[in-house]
Amino acid sequence: MADWDDLRVFLAVARAESLSGAGKLLKLDPATVGRRVARLEEAMAVRLFVRSAQGYTLTGEGQRLLAHAGRAEQAVAEAMEEVGSEGTGLTGQIRIGAPDGSANYLLPQIVAAICADHPGLEVQIVAQPRVFNLSKREADMAIAVSPPASGHLTVQKLTDYRLHLAASQGYLDSHPPIRTPADLKHHRTIGYIQDLVFDKELDYQSEAGMEAVTLASNSVSVQFNWVRTGAGIAVVHDFALPAAPGLVKVLADKVSLTRSFYLIRHPDDRRVERLNRFAELLAQGVRREVARLEALA
C-alpha cells in the first residue's frame, strides 16, 4: 500500500517530468526523489514511468494513478481547510503565474498588501511571457490576457486595461514630430518578437500602426526600459506609465488599445476555501490598482 508522502513525490515527478524538477518543487535532492519513485513502484508492483534522456514519462499505469493521486491531493487540501480555525488569516504558499507586464507593474504592490494583512501567507509570482500549465501545477492560479481555448479550467474576467503608444520626452524632443500614425515609419519602434508572441492579444503591431519594429523583445519589461531610456516608441500599458514619469503618450487620441486580464484556476481548487479567499482578494486588488494607475497615466 502506497503512503501519501510517496504519492506526493509521484505527482511532482509526473508534473515536472524529471527528478530534478520534482526535487525543486519538493525541496528534496533528485536521488531521494528517485528512491521514493522506485519504492512506490515496488509497493504497487507496476512501472509508473518510462525513463529516457528526455525525462520521465508516465506509463499507462502511471496515467491511471495520476487521476487518483490528484483526487487524494485535493482531499488532503480540503481536509486541511476544514480543520483550520474559522476566521483566521490566510496561511501557506500560493504561486501565481502571470505575464511580465502585470507581474512587474501590478502584482507586487497588490500581493504585498494582501500579505501585510495575512502574515502567515507566502506568495510566489512567476513572471514569464508564456501560458502556464495549471494541470501540471506549475502554479496555483494564473493571470492571462485571453481565456484558454480548451481544458477543464475556470475563468474569471478581472478587468479591462488600456495601452497607448509612448516615448520619452527626450526622444520626442530630438526627433521629427508625430502627428499621424503614418509618421511612425520615420521613427524607431519597439515591440514583440513576432514569432515569440504567445497570445494573439499581444500582437499590437498592426493595430498600433507600426509597420515593423526596430527593437524587439519577448519581455514587456525590456520594451518598457528601452522606451524609458529614449530608444524609441512602443505600445505601453497605461498602468505602467506612472512608474516612469518621463514618458509621454503619443497619438493618444488616434491610437488606443483595450485588452483584458483573466484569472485562470483549476476547477478542483474551487473547493479550497484558502485559494478562493486569496483569489477574491487578488481580483479586487487588480481591479482597484488598474483603475488607480490608469487615472495617473
Side-chain angles (χ1 to χ4, degrees), residues 132-205:
F132 284 81
N133 191 329
L134 296 186
S135 297
K136 289 188 176 182
R137 298 292 176 173
E138 292 182 340
D140 294 298
M141 57 189 71
I143 290 176
V145 294
S146 63
S150 61
H152 300 294
L153 300 169
T154 62
V155 181
Q156 174 188 0
K157 182 177 177 179
L158 296 178
T159 187
D160 291 332
Y161 62 94
R162 294 177 296 174
L163 308 98
H164 288 88
L165 289 165
S168 70
Q169 188 61 60
Y171 176 88
L172 295 174
D173 290 344
S174 59
H175 289 79
I178 306 171
R179 298 187 178 91
T180 70
D183 294 330
L184 291 172
K185 64 184 177 182
H186 303 299
H187 289 263
R188 186 185 301 120
T189 51
I190 298 163
Y192 280 101
I193 302 170
Q194 281 299 298
D195 59 353
L196 295 182
V197 174
F198 68 90
D199 191 302
K200 61 181 176 58
E201 295 298 324
L202 301 179
D203 193 3
Y204 309 135
Q205 187 170 306

Side-chain angles (χ1 to χ4, degrees), residues 57-71:
T57 304
L58 287 169
T59 62
E61 290 82 0
Q63 289 284 0
R64 286 191 287 274
L65 178 60
L66 181 64
H68 294 290
R71 287 194 290 271

